[in-house]
Each structure stands twice: as structure tokens, then as C-alpha cells.
């Protein structure tokens, strides 16, 4: 359901949530290796998230990426939508263009009941919520 780009972006944002803040900014090169994503690729994703004000950045000698209070309180779905577009989570699992209730694909009735619940949970969970799960050991994310 999520593209690799969204997965990488979420990992990077969670890395920032756990390790960075306004006084401790992190450079792209220092994010890429721990989350196992090519540096150029994660740089593009982080720039896109920064342009959409979902993460913060500062250029220059003491520059890098970080999350401010507004960023860390964004919902998880905002990161996914910024990278994949707003309709990705609603798209057909088989990538059929005209899959819907009236014209369902073979997986439609299996996935559709869970899709609304997933979207709801991703809309109400913040980056801060997920980073606390990682920080307290309730969830794992190799960082």
C-alpha cells in the first residue's frame, strides 16, 4: 500500500524525531546510512517534505534537517500524502484504474473495510506518537 518512497520518508522523519531538534540538526549523509537509503534519494524526499513544511531545515555551516514542535505534531498521513499523493491509500491494490464499489477488483472487498480504519489511524497518529513508541522500546526501528 505504501510506496518505497513513503516508507523511506517515514523512516527518515522518525530518525529526525528521535535524534534531531532545533539545536541538533542532522545532515542528509548522517541520515542515509542508519536508515539504509541512498543519500541522493533521501535528500530528494527530505527536500520535498521541507518544501511542504512537514520537516524543517537550515542551510549553512550549522545546517541540516530537524523537526520543530509543529512538525513533530503532524499526522503520519501527511508524510505519506506529501510523497505519494492523497489518493495512494485509496488506490486499488491491483492498480486497476476503475476499481470501486460498483466495479470491484478481486481484492476490493477484502481490503476496503480495513482501508478506512488504516487511514483513520494514520490521520490521528502523530510523528511524535510514533517516535515515543520507538524511544520507549514499544516499537522497533533500526536507527
Amino acid at each position: 500500500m505504501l510506496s518505497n518512497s513513503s516508507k523511506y520518508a517515514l523512516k527518515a522523519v522518525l530518525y529526525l524525531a528521535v535524534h534531531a531538534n532545533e539545536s541538533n540538526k542532522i545532515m542528509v549523509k548522517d541520515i542515509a546510512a542508519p536508515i539504509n537509503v541512498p543519500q541522493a534519494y533521501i535528500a530528494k524526499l527530505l527536500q520535498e517534505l521541507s518544501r511542504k513544511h512537514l520537516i524543517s531545515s537550515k542551510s549553512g555551516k550549522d545546517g541540516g534537517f530537524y523537526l520543530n514542535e509543529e512538525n513533530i505534531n503532524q499526522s503520519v498521513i501527511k508524510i505519506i500524502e506529501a510523497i505519494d499523493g492523497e489518493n495512494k491509500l485509496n488506490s486499488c491494490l491491483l492498480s486497476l484504474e476503475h476499481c470501486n464499489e460498483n466495479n470491484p477488483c478481486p481484492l476490493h472487498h477484502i481490503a476496503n473495510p480495513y482501508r478506512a480504519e488504516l487511514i483513520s489511524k494514520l490521520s490521528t497518529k502523530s510523528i511524535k506518537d510514533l517516535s515515543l513508541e520507538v524511544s520507549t522500546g514499544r516499537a522497533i526501528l533500526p536507527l
Side-chain angles (χ1 to χ4, degrees):
M1 273 184 116
L2 296 180
S3 70
N4 281 340
S5 294
S6 277
K7 292 175 195 177
Y8 297 157
L10 282 170
K11 285 179 13 178
V13 170
L14 287 172
Y15 185 89
L16 290 171
V18 172
H19 296 289
N21 55 47
E22 290 187 55
S23 61
N24 183 39
K25 297 164 191 70
I26 299 180
M27 303 290 288
V28 170
K29 65 182 174 80
D30 298 321
I31 298 171
I35 67 169
N36 197 28
V37 177
Q39 186 173 328
Y41 195 31
I42 200 63
K44 287 176 78 172
L45 294 173
L46 291 174
Q47 288 166 357
E48 181 66 20
L49 294 173
S50 181
R51 270 194 297 280
K52 293 182 177 179
H53 305 289
L54 295 171
I55 65 172
S56 297
S57 66
K58 182 182 179 218
S59 56
K61 180 180 176 273
D62 295 322
F65 292 96
Y66 64 99
L67 300 182
N68 62 26
E69 196 64 32
E70 183 180 333
N71 303 144
I72 203 163
N73 287 307
Q74 290 287 337
S75 67
V76 175
I77 203 164
K78 295 282 189 193
I79 305 298
I80 297 166
E81 289 174 346
I83 301 301
D84 286 342
E86 292 185 22
N87 295 321
K88 177 67 174 179
L89 292 174
N90 287 312
S91 65
C92 174
L93 290 179
L94 297 178
S95 299
L96 301 180
E97 190 174 330
H98 301 290
C99 174
N100 57 46
E101 283 296 317
N102 297 323
N103 190 37
C105 77
L107 295 175
H108 185 84
H109 295 298
I110 296 169
N112 212 43
Y114 302 103
R115 186 185 321 266
E117 184 178 349
L118 175 63
I119 292 170
S120 174
K121 288 186 183 211
L122 292 172
S123 298
T124 58
K125 282 286 184 181
S126 70
I127 298 303
K128 186 176 189 173
D129 294 333
L130 294 186
S131 68
L132 286 172
E133 296 275 323
V134 173
S135 295
T136 61
R138 290 185 42 149
I140 62 163
L141 187 63
L143 301 174

